[in-house]
Short mmCIF file of all heavy atoms in Angstrom, two decimals:
data_model
loop_
_atom_site.label_atom_id
_atom_site.label_comp_id
_atom_site.label_asym_id
_atom_site.label_seq_id
_atom_site.Cartn_x
_atom_site.Cartn_y
_atom_site.Cartn_z
N VAL A 18 26.55 34.05 -41.96
CA VAL A 18 27.40 34.65 -40.94
C VAL A 18 26.99 34.11 -39.59
O VAL A 18 25.78 34.04 -39.28
CB VAL A 18 27.28 36.20 -40.95
CG1 VAL A 18 28.16 36.81 -39.88
CG2 VAL A 18 27.64 36.74 -42.32
N TYR A 21 23.68 35.16 -37.43
CA TYR A 21 22.64 35.80 -38.26
C TYR A 21 21.88 34.74 -39.04
O TYR A 21 22.44 33.72 -39.43
CB TYR A 21 23.27 36.78 -39.25
CG TYR A 21 23.84 38.01 -38.58
CD1 TYR A 21 25.13 38.02 -38.08
CD2 TYR A 21 23.07 39.16 -38.45
CE1 TYR A 21 25.65 39.14 -37.46
CE2 TYR A 21 23.59 40.29 -37.84
CZ TYR A 21 24.87 40.26 -37.34
OH TYR A 21 25.38 41.37 -36.73
N PHE A 25 24.12 36.41 -47.12
CA PHE A 25 24.90 37.56 -47.50
C PHE A 25 25.72 37.24 -48.74
O PHE A 25 25.97 36.08 -49.05
CB PHE A 25 25.86 37.96 -46.37
CG PHE A 25 25.17 38.43 -45.13
CD1 PHE A 25 24.74 37.54 -44.17
CD2 PHE A 25 24.97 39.78 -44.90
CE1 PHE A 25 24.11 37.97 -43.02
CE2 PHE A 25 24.35 40.23 -43.76
CZ PHE A 25 23.92 39.31 -42.81
N VAL A 37 35.86 40.53 -44.62
CA VAL A 37 35.08 40.65 -45.84
C VAL A 37 33.96 41.66 -45.62
O VAL A 37 33.43 41.77 -44.52
CB VAL A 37 34.48 39.29 -46.28
CG1 VAL A 37 35.54 38.34 -46.71
CG2 VAL A 37 33.63 38.68 -45.20
N GLY A 38 33.63 42.40 -46.66
CA GLY A 38 32.48 43.28 -46.66
C GLY A 38 31.30 42.50 -47.23
O GLY A 38 31.43 41.86 -48.27
N LEU A 39 30.17 42.54 -46.57
CA LEU A 39 29.01 41.74 -46.96
C LEU A 39 27.78 42.61 -47.25
O LEU A 39 27.58 43.63 -46.61
CB LEU A 39 28.66 40.76 -45.84
CG LEU A 39 29.75 39.78 -45.43
CD1 LEU A 39 29.32 39.03 -44.17
CD2 LEU A 39 30.07 38.82 -46.54
N VAL A 40 26.97 42.14 -48.20
CA VAL A 40 25.68 42.76 -48.50
C VAL A 40 24.62 41.71 -48.19
O VAL A 40 24.74 40.55 -48.60
CB VAL A 40 25.59 43.18 -49.99
CG1 VAL A 40 24.19 43.56 -50.35
CG2 VAL A 40 26.54 44.32 -50.27
N ARG A 41 23.59 42.13 -47.52
CA ARG A 41 22.49 41.22 -47.15
C ARG A 41 21.66 40.92 -48.41
O ARG A 41 21.22 41.83 -49.11
CB ARG A 41 21.61 41.88 -46.09
CG ARG A 41 20.60 41.00 -45.45
CD ARG A 41 19.82 41.77 -44.38
NE ARG A 41 20.68 42.53 -43.51
CZ ARG A 41 21.04 42.13 -42.29
NH1 ARG A 41 20.60 40.98 -41.83
NH2 ARG A 41 21.83 42.88 -41.54
N ILE A 48 23.36 47.99 -50.02
CA ILE A 48 24.42 48.75 -49.36
C ILE A 48 25.18 47.80 -48.43
O ILE A 48 24.55 47.03 -47.70
CB ILE A 48 23.83 49.93 -48.56
CG1 ILE A 48 23.11 50.88 -49.52
CG2 ILE A 48 24.92 50.66 -47.77
CD1 ILE A 48 22.32 51.96 -48.81
N PRO A 49 26.50 47.82 -48.45
CA PRO A 49 27.25 46.91 -47.57
C PRO A 49 26.77 47.02 -46.13
O PRO A 49 26.67 48.11 -45.57
CB PRO A 49 28.70 47.38 -47.72
CG PRO A 49 28.74 47.97 -49.09
CD PRO A 49 27.39 48.62 -49.29
N ASP A 50 26.43 45.87 -45.55
CA ASP A 50 25.85 45.82 -44.23
C ASP A 50 26.88 45.72 -43.11
O ASP A 50 26.69 46.27 -42.05
CB ASP A 50 24.90 44.62 -44.10
CG ASP A 50 23.60 44.84 -44.84
OD1 ASP A 50 23.09 45.97 -44.79
OD2 ASP A 50 23.11 43.90 -45.45
N MET A 51 27.93 44.93 -43.37
CA MET A 51 28.86 44.67 -42.27
C MET A 51 30.18 44.18 -42.81
O MET A 51 30.29 43.79 -43.96
CB MET A 51 28.28 43.66 -41.30
CG MET A 51 28.08 42.29 -41.90
SD MET A 51 27.55 41.06 -40.72
CE MET A 51 25.90 41.55 -40.42
N SER A 52 31.13 44.18 -41.93
CA SER A 52 32.45 43.63 -42.22
C SER A 52 32.75 42.64 -41.11
O SER A 52 32.62 42.96 -39.93
CB SER A 52 33.49 44.74 -42.24
OG SER A 52 34.75 44.24 -42.54
N VAL A 53 33.09 41.40 -41.50
CA VAL A 53 33.37 40.35 -40.52
C VAL A 53 34.64 39.62 -40.89
O VAL A 53 35.11 39.69 -42.03
CB VAL A 53 32.20 39.35 -40.40
CG1 VAL A 53 30.94 40.01 -39.90
CG2 VAL A 53 31.96 38.62 -41.70
#
Side-chain angles (χ1 to χ4, degrees):
V18 179
Y21 290 86
F25 294 86
V37 293
L39 302 171
V40 169
R41 190 179 313 260
I48 298 172
D50 286 320
M51 64 175 72
S52 181
V53 297

